[in-house]
Amino acid sequence: MTSAPLNPSASPARRTVMVAAGAAGLAAALTACGSPDDDSSGTTTTNGNAGGGSTTQNSNGSAGGTALAKTTDIPEGGGTIYKDQAVVVTQPASGTFKAFSTKCPHAGCAVTSIANGEIVCPCHGSKFAIADGSVKQGPATTGLTAADITVSGDQISLA
């Protein structure tokens, strides 16, 4: 004698529904923390109102690492974001260049703009000082990670 289930179920199991809902929520959260890719050039330059990343000046005229820009490409009191290299280079004062990771320490979003002497994360509104990458406005609680650059003549390169 064979017994058939008393209540055959044509709908998905509760566990299947919960897993699918969790996966959809995770996908939405990861999408929200991504950076917009509408700038095909890979760089963003913005002016600001006039120790994080270190700057090394080579005396032998050779710049090490990946070439990023000329010193004239970085506005004084502002900076330039290099999306492809995941680095932002700033010039807080004339002739002083700093570099930081574009990854916001709060949720991992990429910073996308520089305004009024601050590097801005679009995801949750954190702002960082162009002079040293320190937090100016949260929710981030730690500053941007410094990146090493080399300045040789008018050439700026990743060290």
Side-chain angles (χ1 to χ4, degrees), residues 112-150:
T112 57
S113 64
I114 302 165
N116 302 317
E118 297 174 329
I119 303 164
V120 181
C121 179
C123 292
H124 303 107
S126 291
K127 296 180 181 180
F128 307 91
I130 64 169
D132 60 7
S134 63
V135 177
K136 301 282 279 186
Q137 175 181 312
T141 57
T142 59
L144 295 174
T145 302
D148 290 329
I149 56 172
T150 303

PDB file of all heavy atoms in Angstrom, residues 112-150:
ATOM      1  N   THR A 112      33.763  59.851  -5.734  1.00  0.00           N
ATOM      2  CA  THR A 112      33.512  60.251  -7.116  1.00  0.00           C
ATOM      3  C   THR A 112      33.693  61.731  -7.397  1.00  0.00           C
ATOM      4  O   THR A 112      33.610  62.132  -8.544  1.00  0.00           O
ATOM      5  CB  THR A 112      32.082  59.864  -7.541  1.00  0.00           C
ATOM      6  OG1 THR A 112      31.156  60.474  -6.647  1.00  0.00           O
ATOM      7  CG2 THR A 112      31.896  58.361  -7.548  1.00  0.00           C
ATOM      8  N   SER A 113      33.911  62.539  -6.360  1.00  0.00           N
ATOM      9  CA  SER A 113      34.055  63.969  -6.630  1.00  0.00           C
ATOM     10  C   SER A 113      34.875  64.649  -5.543  1.00  0.00           C
ATOM     11  O   SER A 113      35.087  64.093  -4.461  1.00  0.00           O
ATOM     12  CB  SER A 113      32.688  64.648  -6.743  1.00  0.00           C
ATOM     13  OG  SER A 113      31.996  64.585  -5.515  1.00  0.00           O
ATOM     14  N   ILE A 114      35.311  65.852  -5.873  1.00  0.00           N
ATOM     15  CA  ILE A 114      36.045  66.694  -4.941  1.00  0.00           C
ATOM     16  C   ILE A 114      35.393  68.073  -5.006  1.00  0.00           C
ATOM     17  O   ILE A 114      35.238  68.634  -6.087  1.00  0.00           O
ATOM     18  CB  ILE A 114      37.532  66.786  -5.327  1.00  0.00           C
ATOM     19  CG1 ILE A 114      38.143  65.392  -5.357  1.00  0.00           C
ATOM     20  CG2 ILE A 114      38.290  67.691  -4.351  1.00  0.00           C
ATOM     21  CD1 ILE A 114      39.480  65.311  -6.055  1.00  0.00           C
ATOM     22  N   ALA A 115      34.985  68.575  -3.847  1.00  0.00           N
ATOM     23  CA  ALA A 115      34.321  69.876  -3.797  1.00  0.00           C
ATOM     24  C   ALA A 115      34.669  70.580  -2.497  1.00  0.00           C
ATOM     25  O   ALA A 115      34.692  69.955  -1.429  1.00  0.00           O
ATOM     26  CB  ALA A 115      32.802  69.705  -3.907  1.00  0.00           C
ATOM     27  N   ASN A 116      34.955  71.855  -2.580  1.00  0.00           N
ATOM     28  CA  ASN A 116      35.227  72.672  -1.403  1.00  0.00           C
ATOM     29  C   ASN A 116      36.334  72.086  -0.522  1.00  0.00           C
ATOM     30  O   ASN A 116      36.221  72.072   0.699  1.00  0.00           O
ATOM     31  CB  ASN A 116      33.954  72.884  -0.582  1.00  0.00           C
ATOM     32  CG  ASN A 116      32.865  73.545  -1.392  1.00  0.00           C
ATOM     33  OD1 ASN A 116      33.128  74.483  -2.135  1.00  0.00           O
ATOM     34  ND2 ASN A 116      31.650  73.055  -1.278  1.00  0.00           N
ATOM     35  N   GLY A 117      37.391  71.583  -1.150  1.00  0.00           N
ATOM     36  CA  GLY A 117      38.519  71.040  -0.405  1.00  0.00           C
ATOM     37  C   GLY A 117      38.251  69.700   0.245  1.00  0.00           C
ATOM     38  O   GLY A 117      38.985  69.281   1.133  1.00  0.00           O
ATOM     39  N   GLU A 118      37.200  68.989  -0.206  1.00  0.00           N
ATOM     40  CA  GLU A 118      36.844  67.692   0.369  1.00  0.00           C
ATOM     41  C   GLU A 118      36.628  66.651  -0.731  1.00  0.00           C
ATOM     42  O   GLU A 118      36.079  66.954  -1.790  1.00  0.00           O
ATOM     43  CB  GLU A 118      35.566  67.813   1.199  1.00  0.00           C
ATOM     44  CG  GLU A 118      35.716  68.740   2.390  1.00  0.00           C
ATOM     45  CD  GLU A 118      34.418  68.983   3.123  1.00  0.00           C
ATOM     46  OE1 GLU A 118      33.336  68.972   2.486  1.00  0.00           O
ATOM     47  OE2 GLU A 118      34.481  69.168   4.348  1.00  0.00           O
ATOM     48  N   ILE A 119      37.070  65.438  -0.454  1.00  0.00           N
ATOM     49  CA  ILE A 119      36.833  64.301  -1.332  1.00  0.00           C
ATOM     50  C   ILE A 119      35.511  63.681  -0.873  1.00  0.00           C
ATOM     51  O   ILE A 119      35.333  63.411   0.311  1.00  0.00           O
ATOM     52  CB  ILE A 119      37.985  63.281  -1.221  1.00  0.00           C
ATOM     53  CG1 ILE A 119      39.321  63.961  -1.549  1.00  0.00           C
ATOM     54  CG2 ILE A 119      37.733  62.083  -2.118  1.00  0.00           C
ATOM     55  CD1 ILE A 119      40.543  63.173  -1.119  1.00  0.00           C
ATOM     56  N   VAL A 120      34.591  63.463  -1.795  1.00  0.00           N
ATOM     57  CA  VAL A 120      33.219  63.094  -1.440  1.00  0.00           C
ATOM     58  C   VAL A 120      32.881  61.675  -1.898  1.00  0.00           C
ATOM     59  O   VAL A 120      33.103  61.299  -3.047  1.00  0.00           O
ATOM     60  CB  VAL A 120      32.222  64.086  -2.078  1.00  0.00           C
ATOM     61  CG1 VAL A 120      30.790  63.736  -1.697  1.00  0.00           C
ATOM     62  CG2 VAL A 120      32.567  65.514  -1.696  1.00  0.00           C
ATOM     63  N   CYS A 121      32.305  60.897  -0.964  1.00  0.00           N
ATOM     64  CA  CYS A 121      31.776  59.575  -1.274  1.00  0.00           C
ATOM     65  C   CYS A 121      30.272  59.713  -1.510  1.00  0.00           C
ATOM     66  O   CYS A 121      29.562  60.211  -0.632  1.00  0.00           O
ATOM     67  CB  CYS A 121      32.038  58.596  -0.127  1.00  0.00           C
ATOM     68  SG  CYS A 121      31.361  56.951  -0.463  1.00  0.00           S
ATOM     69  N   PRO A 122      29.777  59.265  -2.657  1.00  0.00           N
ATOM     70  CA  PRO A 122      28.361  59.452  -2.977  1.00  0.00           C
ATOM     71  C   PRO A 122      27.410  58.498  -2.264  1.00  0.00           C
ATOM     72  O   PRO A 122      26.221  58.761  -2.194  1.00  0.00           O
ATOM     73  CB  PRO A 122      28.317  59.196  -4.482  1.00  0.00           C
ATOM     74  CG  PRO A 122      29.382  58.175  -4.693  1.00  0.00           C
ATOM     75  CD  PRO A 122      30.486  58.579  -3.736  1.00  0.00           C
ATOM     76  N   CYS A 123      27.911  57.406  -1.733  1.00  0.00           N
ATOM     77  CA  CYS A 123      27.012  56.385  -1.173  1.00  0.00           C
ATOM     78  C   CYS A 123      26.305  56.827   0.104  1.00  0.00           C
ATOM     79  O   CYS A 123      25.106  56.671   0.228  1.00  0.00           O
ATOM     80  CB  CYS A 123      27.784  55.099  -0.917  1.00  0.00           C
ATOM     81  SG  CYS A 123      28.319  54.313  -2.457  1.00  0.00           S
ATOM     82  N   HIS A 124      27.059  57.364   1.052  1.00  0.00           N
ATOM     83  CA  HIS A 124      26.463  57.738   2.332  1.00  0.00           C
ATOM     84  C   HIS A 124      26.870  59.128   2.786  1.00  0.00           C
ATOM     85  O   HIS A 124      26.612  59.509   3.920  1.00  0.00           O
ATOM     86  CB  HIS A 124      26.807  56.690   3.403  1.00  0.00           C
ATOM     87  CG  HIS A 124      26.356  55.318   3.019  1.00  0.00           C
ATOM     88  ND1 HIS A 124      27.228  54.334   2.630  1.00  0.00           N
ATOM     89  CD2 HIS A 124      25.117  54.776   2.921  1.00  0.00           C
ATOM     90  CE1 HIS A 124      26.541  53.240   2.307  1.00  0.00           C
ATOM     91  NE2 HIS A 124      25.266  53.485   2.485  1.00  0.00           N
ATOM     92  N   GLY A 125      27.577  59.874   1.931  1.00  0.00           N
ATOM     93  CA  GLY A 125      27.887  61.267   2.231  1.00  0.00           C
ATOM     94  C   GLY A 125      29.162  61.521   3.013  1.00  0.00           C
ATOM     95  O   GLY A 125      29.374  62.640   3.464  1.00  0.00           O
ATOM     96  N   SER A 126      30.015  60.537   3.182  1.00  0.00           N
ATOM     97  CA  SER A 126      31.273  60.789   3.886  1.00  0.00           C
ATOM     98  C   SER A 126      32.122  61.766   3.084  1.00  0.00           C
ATOM     99  O   SER A 126      32.111  61.758   1.852  1.00  0.00           O
ATOM    100  CB  SER A 126      32.053  59.487   4.092  1.00  0.00           C
ATOM    101  OG  SER A 126      31.396  58.645   5.008  1.00  0.00           O
ATOM    102  N   LYS A 127      32.859  62.619   3.804  1.00  0.00           N
ATOM    103  CA  LYS A 127      33.751  63.597   3.173  1.00  0.00           C
ATOM    104  C   LYS A 127      35.112  63.518   3.846  1.00  0.00           C
ATOM    105  O   LYS A 127      35.205  63.321   5.058  1.00  0.00           O
ATOM    106  CB  LYS A 127      33.175  65.004   3.297  1.00  0.00           C
ATOM    107  CG  LYS A 127      31.866  65.171   2.547  1.00  0.00           C
ATOM    108  CD  LYS A 127      31.313  66.567   2.677  1.00  0.00           C
ATOM    109  CE  LYS A 127      29.982  66.667   1.927  1.00  0.00           C
ATOM    110  NZ  LYS A 127      29.415  68.012   2.037  1.00  0.00           N
ATOM    111  N   PHE A 128      36.167  63.687   3.027  1.00  0.00           N
ATOM    112  CA  PHE A 128      37.535  63.549   3.505  1.00  0.00           C
ATOM    113  C   PHE A 128      38.358  64.763   3.078  1.00  0.00           C
ATOM    114  O   PHE A 128      38.155  65.308   1.990  1.00  0.00           O
ATOM    115  CB  PHE A 128      38.157  62.275   2.914  1.00  0.00           C
ATOM    116  CG  PHE A 128      37.324  61.047   3.166  1.00  0.00           C
ATOM    117  CD1 PHE A 128      36.350  60.644   2.260  1.00  0.00           C
ATOM    118  CD2 PHE A 128      37.492  60.306   4.324  1.00  0.00           C
ATOM    119  CE1 PHE A 128      35.569  59.525   2.496  1.00  0.00           C
ATOM    120  CE2 PHE A 128      36.709  59.181   4.570  1.00  0.00           C
ATOM    121  CZ  PHE A 128      35.748  58.791   3.656  1.00  0.00           C
ATOM    122  N   ALA A 129      39.301  65.172   3.930  1.00  0.00           N
ATOM    123  CA  ALA A 129      40.159  66.324   3.651  1.00  0.00           C
ATOM    124  C   ALA A 129      41.123  66.012   2.512  1.00  0.00           C
ATOM    125  O   ALA A 129      41.721  64.933   2.484  1.00  0.00           O
ATOM    126  CB  ALA A 129      40.940  66.701   4.906  1.00  0.00           C
ATOM    127  N   ILE A 130      41.298  66.965   1.590  1.00  0.00           N
ATOM    128  CA  ILE A 130      42.233  66.746   0.486  1.00  0.00           C
ATOM    129  C   ILE A 130      43.683  66.788   0.957  1.00  0.00           C
ATOM    130  O   ILE A 130      44.562  66.252   0.294  1.00  0.00           O
ATOM    131  CB  ILE A 130      42.028  67.744  -0.674  1.00  0.00           C
ATOM    132  CG1 ILE A 130      42.314  69.183  -0.245  1.00  0.00           C
ATOM    133  CG2 ILE A 130      40.642  67.602  -1.284  1.00  0.00           C
ATOM    134  CD1 ILE A 130      42.392  70.173  -1.391  1.00  0.00           C
ATOM    135  N   ALA A 131      43.953  67.387   2.115  1.00  0.00           N
ATOM    136  CA  ALA A 131      45.326  67.524   2.602  1.00  0.00           C
ATOM    137  C   ALA A 131      45.873  66.230   3.193  1.00  0.00           C
ATOM    138  O   ALA A 131      47.055  65.924   3.022  1.00  0.00           O
ATOM    139  CB  ALA A 131      45.415  68.636   3.643  1.00  0.00           C
ATOM    140  N   ASP A 132      45.021  65.450   3.878  1.00  0.00           N
ATOM    141  CA  ASP A 132      45.532  64.252   4.547  1.00  0.00           C
ATOM    142  C   ASP A 132      44.578  63.061   4.507  1.00  0.00           C
ATOM    143  O   ASP A 132      44.856  62.024   5.084  1.00  0.00           O
ATOM    144  CB  ASP A 132      45.897  64.569   5.992  1.00  0.00           C
ATOM    145  CG  ASP A 132      44.717  65.069   6.821  1.00  0.00           C
ATOM    146  OD1 ASP A 132      43.566  65.054   6.326  1.00  0.00           O
ATOM    147  OD2 ASP A 132      44.952  65.478   7.972  1.00  0.00           O
ATOM    148  N   GLY A 133      43.435  63.184   3.832  1.00  0.00           N
ATOM    149  CA  GLY A 133      42.489  62.081   3.721  1.00  0.00           C
ATOM    150  C   GLY A 133      41.671  61.819   4.968  1.00  0.00           C
ATOM    151  O   GLY A 133      40.912  60.859   5.026  1.00  0.00           O
ATOM    152  N   SER A 134      41.810  62.678   5.985  1.00  0.00           N
ATOM    153  CA  SER A 134      41.079  62.468   7.241  1.00  0.00           C
ATOM    154  C   SER A 134      39.580  62.730   7.056  1.00  0.00           C
ATOM    155  O   SER A 134      39.160  63.433   6.151  1.00  0.00           O
ATOM    156  CB  SER A 134      41.628  63.384   8.333  1.00  0.00           C
ATOM    157  OG  SER A 134      41.433  64.744   7.986  1.00  0.00           O
ATOM    158  N   VAL A 135      38.793  62.131   7.950  1.00  0.00           N
ATOM    159  CA  VAL A 135      37.335  62.268   7.885  1.00  0.00           C
ATOM    160  C   VAL A 135      36.938  63.698   8.267  1.00  0.00           C
ATOM    161  O   VAL A 135      37.313  64.191   9.319  1.00  0.00           O
ATOM    162  CB  VAL A 135      36.645  61.268   8.837  1.00  0.00           C
ATOM    163  CG1 VAL A 135      35.131  61.464   8.823  1.00  0.00           C
ATOM    164  CG2 VAL A 135      37.006  59.847   8.482  1.00  0.00           C
ATOM    165  N   LYS A 136      36.169  64.336   7.408  1.00  0.00           N
ATOM    166  CA  LYS A 136      35.594  65.648   7.699  1.00  0.00           C
ATOM    167  C   LYS A 136      34.120  65.511   8.071  1.00  0.00           C
ATOM    168  O   LYS A 136      33.581  66.309   8.792  1.00  0.00           O
ATOM    169  CB  LYS A 136      35.729  66.581   6.485  1.00  0.00           C
ATOM    170  CG  LYS A 136      37.152  66.819   6.020  1.00  0.00           C
ATOM    171  CD  LYS A 136      37.861  67.798   6.883  1.00  0.00           C
ATOM    172  CE  LYS A 136      37.456  69.179   6.451  1.00  0.00           C
ATOM    173  NZ  LYS A 136      38.141  70.246   7.080  1.00  0.00           N
ATOM    174  N   GLN A 137      33.463  64.478   7.510  1.00  0.00           N
ATOM    175  CA  GLN A 137      32.053  64.203   7.792  1.00  0.00           C
ATOM    176  C   GLN A 137      31.818  62.711   7.614  1.00  0.00           C
ATOM    177  O   GLN A 137      32.271  62.128   6.631  1.00  0.00           O
ATOM    178  CB  GLN A 137      31.153  64.988   6.822  1.00  0.00           C
ATOM    179  CG  GLN A 137      29.674  64.679   6.967  1.00  0.00           C
ATOM    180  CD  GLN A 137      28.842  65.460   5.969  1.00  0.00           C
ATOM    181  OE1 GLN A 137      29.012  66.656   5.823  1.00  0.00           O
ATOM    182  NE2 GLN A 137      27.947  64.780   5.273  1.00  0.00           N
ATOM    183  N   GLY A 138      31.128  62.087   8.575  1.00  0.00           N
ATOM    184  CA  GLY A 138      30.836  60.653   8.541  1.00  0.00           C
ATOM    185  C   GLY A 138      29.679  60.339   7.637  1.00  0.00           C
ATOM    186  O   GLY A 138      29.167  61.220   6.976  1.00  0.00           O
ATOM    187  N   PRO A 139      29.361  59.083   7.578  1.00  0.00           N
ATOM    188  CA  PRO A 139      29.495  58.066   8.598  1.00  0.00           C
ATOM    189  C   PRO A 139      30.859  57.370   8.676  1.00  0.00           C
ATOM    190  O   PRO A 139      31.085  56.599   9.608  1.00  0.00           O
ATOM    191  CB  PRO A 139      28.410  57.056   8.237  1.00  0.00           C
ATOM    192  CG  PRO A 139      28.262  57.169   6.764  1.00  0.00           C
ATOM    193  CD  PRO A 139      28.512  58.614   6.460  1.00  0.00           C
ATOM    194  N   ALA A 140      31.758  57.584   7.734  1.00  0.00           N
ATOM    195  CA  ALA A 140      33.078  56.954   7.847  1.00  0.00           C
ATOM    196  C   ALA A 140      33.732  57.389   9.155  1.00  0.00           C
ATOM    197  O   ALA A 140      33.584  58.535   9.585  1.00  0.00           O
ATOM    198  CB  ALA A 140      33.959  57.349   6.669  1.00  0.00           C
ATOM    199  N   THR A 141      34.439  56.466   9.792  1.00  0.00           N
ATOM    200  CA  THR A 141      35.109  56.785  11.054  1.00  0.00           C
ATOM    201  C   THR A 141      36.622  56.822  10.903  1.00  0.00           C
ATOM    202  O   THR A 141      37.316  57.247  11.815  1.00  0.00           O
ATOM    203  CB  THR A 141      34.737  55.768  12.148  1.00  0.00           C
ATOM    204  OG1 THR A 141      35.084  54.458  11.702  1.00  0.00           O
ATOM    205  CG2 THR A 141      33.242  55.831  12.457  1.00  0.00           C
ATOM    206  N   THR A 142      37.123  56.358   9.769  1.00  0.00           N
ATOM    207  CA  THR A 142      38.554  56.421   9.488  1.00  0.00           C
ATOM    208  C   THR A 142      38.750  57.083   8.135  1.00  0.00           C
ATOM    209  O   THR A 142      37.850  57.064   7.289  1.00  0.00           O
ATOM    210  CB  THR A 142      39.202  55.019   9.469  1.00  0.00           C
ATOM    211  OG1 THR A 142      38.554  54.221   8.471  1.00  0.00           O
ATOM    212  CG2 THR A 142      39.084  54.328  10.816  1.00  0.00           C
ATOM    213  N   GLY A 143      39.934  57.647   7.943  1.00  0.00           N
ATOM    214  CA  GLY A 143      40.235  58.363   6.710  1.00  0.00           C
ATOM    215  C   GLY A 143      40.540  57.443   5.546  1.00  0.00           C
ATOM    216  O   GLY A 143      40.614  56.221   5.687  1.00  0.00           O
ATOM    217  N   LEU A 144      40.730  58.081   4.391  1.00  0.00           N
ATOM    218  CA  LEU A 144      41.121  57.343   3.191  1.00  0.00           C
ATOM    219  C   LEU A 144      42.539  56.818   3.358  1.00  0.00           C
ATOM    220  O   LEU A 144      43.388  57.463   3.984  1.00  0.00           O
ATOM    221  CB  LEU A 144      41.052  58.258   1.964  1.00  0.00           C
ATOM    222  CG  LEU A 144      39.670  58.765   1.571  1.00  0.00           C
ATOM    223  CD1 LEU A 144      39.780  59.779   0.433  1.00  0.00           C
ATOM    224  CD2 LEU A 144      38.760  57.616   1.176  1.00  0.00           C
ATOM    225  N   THR A 145      42.814  55.675   2.777  1.00  0.00           N
ATOM    226  CA  THR A 145      44.137  55.071   2.831  1.00  0.00           C
ATOM    227  C   THR A 145      45.083  55.844   1.912  1.00  0.00           C
ATOM    228  O   THR A 145      44.755  56.116   0.752  1.00  0.00           O
ATOM    229  CB  THR A 145      44.087  53.598   2.378  1.00  0.00           C
ATOM    230  OG1 THR A 145      43.170  52.902   3.218  1.00  0.00           O
ATOM    231  CG2 THR A 145      45.450  52.949   2.449  1.00  0.00           C
ATOM    232  N   ALA A 146      46.258  56.199   2.440  1.00  0.00           N
ATOM    233  CA  ALA A 146      47.252  56.930   1.658  1.00  0.00           C
ATOM    234  C   ALA A 146      47.813  56.055   0.548  1.00  0.00           C
ATOM    235  O   ALA A 146      47.930  54.840   0.692  1.00  0.00           O
ATOM    236  CB  ALA A 146      48.380  57.392   2.567  1.00  0.00           C
ATOM    237  N   ALA A 147      48.135  56.681  -0.565  1.00  0.00           N
ATOM    238  CA  ALA A 147      48.798  56.007  -1.685  1.00  0.00           C
ATOM    239  C   ALA A 147      50.103  56.750  -1.949  1.00  0.00           C
ATOM    240  O   ALA A 147      50.161  57.979  -1.802  1.00  0.00           O
ATOM    241  CB  ALA A 147      47.910  56.023  -2.924  1.00  0.00           C
ATOM    242  N   ASP A 148      51.144  56.036  -2.304  1.00  0.00           N
ATOM    243  CA  ASP A 148      52.432  56.662  -2.568  1.00  0.00           C
ATOM    244  C   ASP A 148      52.518  57.119  -4.016  1.00  0.00           C
ATOM    245  O   ASP A 148      52.214  56.354  -4.937  1.00  0.00           O
ATOM    246  CB  ASP A 148      53.574  55.688  -2.275  1.00  0.00           C
ATOM    247  CG  ASP A 148      53.738  55.421  -0.798  1.00  0.00           C
ATOM    248  OD1 ASP A 148      53.440  56.324  -0.002  1.00  0.00           O
ATOM    249  OD2 ASP A 148      54.158  54.306  -0.440  1.00  0.00           O
ATOM    250  N   ILE A 149      52.931  58.362  -4.197  1.00  0.00           N
ATOM    251  CA  ILE A 149      53.162  58.908  -5.530  1.00  0.00           C
ATOM    252  C   ILE A 149      54.570  59.470  -5.595  1.00  0.00           C
ATOM    253  O   ILE A 149      55.192  59.759  -4.573  1.00  0.00           O
ATOM    254  CB  ILE A 149      52.132  59.988  -5.912  1.00  0.00           C
ATOM    255  CG1 ILE A 149      52.096  61.120  -4.888  1.00  0.00           C
ATOM    256  CG2 ILE A 149      50.762  59.379  -6.146  1.00  0.00           C
ATOM    257  CD1 ILE A 149      51.240  62.319  -5.300  1.00  0.00           C
ATOM    258  N   THR A 150      55.046  59.629  -6.804  1.00  0.00           N
ATOM    259  CA  THR A 150      56.345  60.218  -7.062  1.00  0.00           C
ATOM    260  C   THR A 150      56.132  61.418  -7.976  1.00  0.00           C
ATOM    261  O   THR A 150      55.414  61.320  -8.967  1.00  0.00           O
ATOM    262  CB  THR A 150      57.272  59.196  -7.765  1.00  0.00           C
ATOM    263  OG1 THR A 150      57.373  58.044  -6.939  1.00  0.00           O
ATOM    264  CG2 THR A 150      58.642  59.773  -7.987  1.00  0.00           C
TER     265      THR A 150
END
